Amino acid sequence: MPDADRAPARALRGPVRVRTLHGWGGGDRVRSWVWRPPDPAALAAGLASRDRRLARGVIARGMGRSYGDAAQRWGGLAVSSAGLRELTLDPVAGIARVGAGVLLTELLRAAAAQGWIVPVVPGTQFITVGGAIASDIHGKNHGSAGTFGAHVRTLGLLTADGELRDLTPADPLFSATIGGMGLTGVIVSAQIALAPAPAPLLAVDTDRVDSLDDAFSALRADGGPHRVAWLDLLSRRGPRGVVTRARMVSSAADGGGPMPAAAATTPVRLAVPPVIPSGALTPAVIRAANAARFWRSPRHERDALIGFGPHMFPLDGLAAWPRMYGPSGFLQYQVAVPPGAERVLEAILEVLAAADAPVYLAVLKDFGPANAAPLSFPIEGWTLALDLPRRCPALPAALDRCDELVVEAGGRIYLSKDSHVRPATLSAMYPRLSEWQTIRDDADPAGLWRSDLAIRTGLVSDR
Ligand SMILES: Cc1cc2nc3c(=O)[nH]c(=O)nc-3n(C[C@H](O)[C@H](O)[C@H](O)COP(=O)(O)OP(=O)(O)OC[C@H]3O[C@@H](n4cnc5c(N)ncnc54)[C@H](O)[C@@H]3O)c2cc1C
């Protein structure tokens, strides 16, 4: 590690500020340096310097949309990718060359204007390409498209030795970087293979379901590859929900007609004010909102035409929505379990109910087979994501119990959403963790890359 006393002044070119950082769900608020290098050369030079602000660890940060402490390092340096803005597109081959700081919303618009679409998108368009790769994000179409990482052809990674490496899927360091949570280096750029899309338009099938079993069945039914169940877990009638299966509209003859490229994204319409009354969000309020959403949805509908953006990113219309949870915030608990472990998901809901931990948002999806990246989250089966207000006192113990159930079932939690998992539990969930650690440690023997998540979970040792 650099000798703090001999750090040259102004080694970090570009703005450097002290900021309070936290995850999208709130959680631990930490003071950290945040540095925005203007270009890859400044990034390489700064990291090669002996600047004292590198001493407590360095971690890349995109839009801070990961829910916990993955993109922060207490007292350390967060490297913002906001200056890494290259975006060029080969409209014939459908390959985008992008800087890591480009937002998916920007890439989607550029791609849609040329008849292409980003093949895997999460539930928000406001994430960076670097964040998408480092979390190896999944969409609603994992069964057919895999993760974001499956579409990365090459990536430029700035490693701890100051070298900018061009990696391909054949490199072990490539696989360790896909889902590697920023702990192999700073992703600078990537080439992404896009999917053809004559129009950014989806044909959507919708079914209201009256139980969890019906949700599992509807997610398995014939129909488009973009599948998701929104669940109302606060209804007094028991779990119920709305399942959608969507497919890209393939031509104007398919009912598409002209559709502006802007439909690939969705605008922000409202913002939650910075200060709202504490406790504005209660189980009773959510119960009423859920009931309205449930009854507003069609019982059965087929082939409704909806823009790609509005369907994929329904939460993006309301900026800063986590503020509604008040100062204590919320956490998201997301697990993946193998096929046949449906009852484990029910058991998790029972544990949370017994702990009086209300689930304000619940989303269920199916996953296809896992990929070759050792820390990639998706495994074949089901994934359930639950938003839980943090102020419930019994929540930590309940989540420990849920983790035990997940481990017994051969499942895992999603690091990009995590804020609680224990080191021993994590290694039980990710059997290839030591393989990943070996590749990581070889590329960063002095432990430059560290995040609070990495220290808390033992992904990287604290020095
Ligand atoms: C409303 C909402 C819905 C979501 N839905 C989904 C979903 O459906 N599927 C899904 O998979 N995820 C989902 N997410 C999670 C989100 O996609 C990931 O957390 C994503 O990584 C956030 O990207 P970011 O740019 O905000 O990265 P950050 O949150 O800033 O960072 C996330 C991780 O990426 C690393 N990182 C960021 N940039 C770089 C870089 N240039 N080089 C190396 N490492 C880097 C960070 O170190 C950190 O470990 C959702 C999040 C929200 C808020």
Side-chain angles (χ1 to χ4, degrees):
M1 289 303 295
D3 178 345
D5 294 326
R6 287 188 285 139
R10 304 211 162 275
L12 307 184
R13 191 155 58 81
V16 193
R17 305 220 156 77
V18 175
R19 288 265 176 82
T20 301
L21 298 181
H22 55 82
W24 185 243
D28 290 342
R29 285 158 201 274
V30 300
R31 299 289 279 171
S32 160
W33 297 99
V34 179
W35 172 38
R36 181 155 71 85
D39 51 50
L43 173 62
L47 293 174
S49 77
R50 300 160 73 87
D51 192 289
R52 67 187 162 77
R53 290 166 291 194
L54 307 177
R56 279 189 52 82
V58 180
I59 191 69
R61 186 172 175 95
M63 287 290 279
R65 249 57 173 190
S66 48
Y67 280 66
D69 48 3
Q72 64 195 46
R73 173 67 190 131
W74 172 69
L77 181 74
V79 178
S80 162
S81 59
L84 307 172
R85 308 279 313 147
E86 176 191 358
L87 171 47
T88 53
L89 208 142
D90 177 340
V92 178
I95 301 282
R97 186 174 170 83
V98 279
V102 169
L103 305 185
L104 288 197
T105 190
E106 298 165 326
L107 181 55
L108 277 164
R109 275 185 185 238
Q114 305 277 0
W116 299 91
I117 202 86
V118 181
V120 172
V121 296
T124 174
Q125 65 204 317
F126 298 123
I127 70 162
T128 61
V129 166
I133 296 171
S135 294
D136 197 20
I137 59 155
H138 55 272
K140 299 172 177 64
N141 57 344
H142 186 268
S144 65
T147 62
F148 194 87
H151 306 275
V152 177
R153 293 290 171 263
T154 64
L155 59 84
L157 183 73
L158 198 96
T159 45
D161 54 8
E163 213 180 297
L164 183 54
R165 303 188 195 199
D166 278 324
L167 301 175
T168 67
D171 292 299
L173 193 53
F174 179 100
S175 294
T177 300
I178 304 286
M181 304 308 294
L183 298 167
T184 57
V186 179
I187 300 159
V188 169
S189 60
Q191 289 194 43
I192 317 282
L194 304 169
L201 187 62
L202 293 159
V204 182
D205 294 348
T206 302
D207 292 297
R208 267 190 349 231
V209 293
D210 296 315
S211 69
L212 270 183
D213 280 345
D214 286 354
F216 289 123
S217 303
L219 283 170
R220 285 193 198 102
D222 289 344
H226 298 270
R227 293 157 176 257
V228 62
W230 164 80
L231 300 175
D232 171 12
L233 299 178
L234 292 180
S235 163
R236 297 198 196 285
R237 302 173 192 196
R240 59 184 178 176
V242 178
V243 175
T244 54
R245 297 174 303 273
R247 63 182 169 85
M248 296 298 299
V249 168
S250 52
S251 68
D254 198 14
M259 170 65 61
T265 61
T266 192
V268 175
R269 296 184 190 282
L270 273 175
V272 177
V275 181
I276 63 159
S278 174
L281 227 49
T282 63
V285 169
I286 301 291
R287 186 174 295 116
N290 282 356
R293 178 171 178 179
F294 180 80
W295 291 114
R296 210 178 47 230
S297 304
R299 169 53 82 187
H300 299 291
E301 185 178 57
R302 295 293 175 262
D303 283 336
L305 296 179
I306 303 180
F308 185 87
H311 184 74
M312 295 297 190
F313 316 121
L315 290 171
D316 283 349
L318 184 61
W321 57 262
R323 286 178 186 154
M324 291 194 300
Y325 282 82
S328 53
F330 72 107
L331 59 79
Q332 187 173 100
Y333 185 64
Q334 182 168 3
V335 300
V337 295
E342 292 81 1
R343 296 286 84 86
V344 172
L345 300 182
E346 284 177 30
I348 287 172
L349 299 180
E350 283 160 19
V351 169
L352 294 170
D356 257 339
V359 178
Y360 282 3
L361 181 69
V363 173
L364 177 69
K365 292 186 263 200
D366 61 321
F367 273 164
N371 65 23
L375 273 201
S376 178
F377 164 65
I379 50 169
E380 185 157 18
W382 302 103
T383 182
L384 179 66
L386 307 170
D387 284 7
L388 300 146
R390 283 176 185 264
R391 57 174 187 261
C392 167
L395 189 55
L399 292 180
D400 283 345
R401 175 64 194 131
C402 294
D403 281 351
E404 286 169 12
L405 293 169
V406 171
V407 169
E408 280 163 25
R412 72 256 307 260
I413 55 93
Y414 188 14
L415 284 168
S416 203
K417 308 282 179 77
D418 182 63
S419 42
H420 84 281
V421 78
R422 295 171 193 278
T425 317
L426 185 68
S427 46
M429 291 172 166
Y430 283 86
R432 294 175 64 202
L433 185 59
S434 60
E435 178 193 333
W436 176 83
Q437 275 165 329
T438 303
I439 302 169
R440 197 218 83 82
D441 292 353
D442 279 355
D444 180 21
L448 178 67
W449 315 117
R450 270 175 281 164
S451 62
D452 290 342
L453 168 98
I455 305 290
R456 176 173 59 76
T457 60
L459 281 171
V460 170
S461 59
D462 198 5
R463 297 159 198 255

